[in-house]
Amino acid sequence: MAVYNFNAGPAVLPKSVMLKAQEEFVDYRGCGYGIIEESHRAKPFEEVIQAAEANFRSLLNISDDYAVLFLQGGASLQFAMVPMNLAIPGKKIGFCDTGEWSHKAIKEAKILGNEIDMIYDGSADKFSHIDGIANWKFDKNLAYAHICSNNTIYGSQYLIYPNTGDVPLIADMSSDFMSRPFDINKFGLVFAGAQKNIGPAGATVVIMRKDLAARCPSTVPTMLRYTTHIDQGSLFNTPSTFGIYMIRLVTDWLVGLGGLPAIQAMNEAKAGKLYAAIDACKFYRGTVDKGSRSLMNVTFRIKEGDEDLEKKFVAEAKAAGLIGLKGHRAVGGLRASIYNAMPAEGIDALVEFMNAFAKANG
Ligand SMILES: *Cc1c(COP(=O)(O)O)cnc(C)c1O
């Protein structure tokens, strides 16, 4: 039986990438040992990290004004590193609150003593949409403004990005990074834990304007300074070598598909099919309004939140080879995470299962 993995992260990776990694695992390209066993200072790994960076630079058209960094500590460490490095004494930090992941970032900024300017607060509508983005106003005195481009838990996504003028825009792109094209020049810094869309857990990609790194006060420890990693090409200490190797293979795969416009078209087709199945019957209800729905995390409920039926759905889906469909514990309900690597067949199998389940339990 085919198994389709709808987990939110760590998540599905492209089958061809998994097979390639398997093929190379014990003998990396004739070395006689695996890349996982290689020194991070040796030639074979140097080639891996350079290829991974080159892939990001070509896929996103990144100029030399920006650094591409491979760090550790997950997106969660970036919630602290960003304010540690980019806050400016006496200036507020702008936040746009689209749910859970925004709150975690706000918490770290506050721990460090920063004042917050709440630009947008989606809590009144239970984060069921992201409204009026084009009209958001950013005070020009903000140190920077932070958004979460795709809320993995609520299933909401920015369809456009706000215009922050000269205020550097920072984006937590953990769950939709490399799923669609974006103009990196509109951002001061973007970060993403690899485990949602581009690789295994343990590596975090940061793309940032190099000039912003100079803001870092001298009290920030070496490992937590962006300048350290920019100056050392992400090799100040031992990075997540196998993680970076996998990211290289995944980005090779993206290049081979035709880049970000191609993967975006595939993602739109997959998500479109799934939302259509949800909207086609009263049995299911999408929890996010049209216009803010994520192409990556499709959140829905059964009969306005019948938890027993939702439990049954998750169990029967699992038995049918469709795993990871339980909603995040903070919000309940159901969630299908359909990242870049989810094959179209997985969506078809899920839609078929949903239709049969609605018929049997409706
Ligand atoms: C998963 C996730 C995180 C947390 O990532 P870690 O790598 O576990 O720290 C942060 N932000 C978003 C949007 C996420 O989806």
Side-chain angles (χ1 to χ4, degrees):
M1 176 180 69
V3 171
Y4 294 105
N5 175 8
F6 295 92
N7 277 313
V12 59
L13 289 170
K15 190 55 150 260
S16 63
V17 165
M18 293 294 286
L19 289 168
K20 177 95 178 153
Q22 180 187 47
E23 177 196 315
E24 296 184 336
F25 191 67
V26 293
D27 181 1
Y28 177 72
R29 304 187 185 183
C31 285
Y33 54 91
I35 196 78
I36 202 172
E37 303 168 286
E38 180 60 287
S39 163
H40 59 297
R41 311 261 174 222
K43 198 104 198 126
F45 184 72
E46 193 181 302
E47 193 262 334
V48 165
I49 194 168
Q50 283 173 0
E53 176 171 343
N55 281 345
F56 284 116
R57 287 196 182 275
S58 83
L59 286 163
L60 287 166
N61 200 12
I62 303 170
S63 79
D64 279 345
D65 294 341
Y66 284 76
V68 178
L69 305 176
F70 299 96
L71 308 182
Q72 298 184 67
S76 298
L77 183 58
Q78 293 309 305
F79 294 159
M81 264 179 86
V82 170
M84 280 176 136
N85 283 264
L86 305 187
I88 296 174
K91 292 197 174 194
K92 291 183 183 175
I93 299 171
F95 276 96
C96 307
D97 182 3
T98 52
E100 197 93 348
W101 294 116
S102 306
H103 305 158
K104 295 201 162 151
I106 292 166
K107 182 178 173 202
E108 299 306 304
K110 283 187 172 165
I111 285 174
L112 290 161
N114 294 289
E115 263 193 82
I116 304 305
D117 187 3
M118 202 64 92
I119 310 279
Y120 173 79
D121 179 356
S123 62
D125 305 306
K126 297 204 173 88
F127 306 111
S128 57
H129 49 233
I130 307 174
D131 252 1
I133 298 169
N135 302 319
W136 293 355
K137 295 271 178 288
F138 295 83
D139 186 303
K140 63 178 183 346
N141 286 316
L142 293 172
Y144 63 85
H146 177 116
I147 63 168
C148 174
S149 59
N150 182 75
N151 197 297
T152 328
I153 294 174
Y154 288 92
S156 62
Q157 187 175 30
Y158 284 70
L159 295 198
I160 58 164
Y161 289 120
N163 183 357
T164 56
D166 289 334
V167 174
L169 178 59
I170 312 298
D172 172 5
M173 290 197 176
S174 292
S175 49
D176 68 353
F177 187 52
M178 307 309 279
S179 70
R180 55 178 177 174
F182 65 93
D183 182 0
I184 188 68
N185 300 308
K186 295 225 157 74
F187 295 85
L189 183 154
V190 306
F191 62 87
Q195 71 273 19
K196 308 279 166 55
N197 222 357
I198 53 160
T204 308
V205 175
V206 173
I207 304 173
M208 69 179 296
R209 249 171 58 198
K210 289 178 193 163
D211 64 304
L212 291 175
R215 287 186 183 185
C216 189
S218 60
T219 48
V220 173
T222 309
M223 255 308 269
L224 300 176
R225 309 172 71 85
Y226 290 120
T227 49
T228 301
H229 303 290
I230 294 173
D231 293 347
Q232 308 280 329
S234 304
L235 294 169
F236 167 71
N237 73 325
T238 318
S240 169
T241 53
F242 195 71
I244 295 166
Y245 161 76
M246 289 297 289
I247 290 172
R248 184 260 175 98
L249 294 187
V250 172
T251 49
D252 279 349
W253 173 78
L254 280 174
V255 170
L257 285 179
L260 298 181
I263 198 74
Q264 178 181 34
M266 292 162 75
N267 287 332
E268 283 172 351
K270 286 187 295 176
K273 220 176 211 183
L274 192 45
Y275 284 118
I278 290 168
D279 293 338
C281 66
K282 286 216 174 65
F283 187 78
Y284 299 108
R285 180 178 61 81
T287 57
V288 173
D289 300 346
K290 288 174 189 161
S292 301
R293 286 174 162 182
S294 170
L295 299 185
M296 298 280 99
N297 309 99
V298 176
T299 50
F300 57 105
R301 308 232 42 163
I302 290 177
K303 289 188 171 176
E304 302 303 322
D306 182 329
E307 288 178 20
D308 289 334
L309 260 187
E310 286 170 350
K311 248 185 218 151
K312 190 174 175 208
F313 179 98
V314 171
E316 288 185 11
K318 188 174 174 192
L322 308 169
I323 68 154
L325 289 162
K326 193 166 179 287
H328 189 276
R329 60 191 185 283
V331 295
L334 302 163
R335 170 177 60 177
S337 295
I338 53 170
Y339 298 118
N340 287 352
M342 172 58 64
E345 295 78 25
I347 305 293
D348 292 340
L350 177 57
V351 167
E352 194 180 318
F353 172 82
M354 286 171 67
N355 289 338
F357 189 85
K359 208 166 190 186
N361 298 278

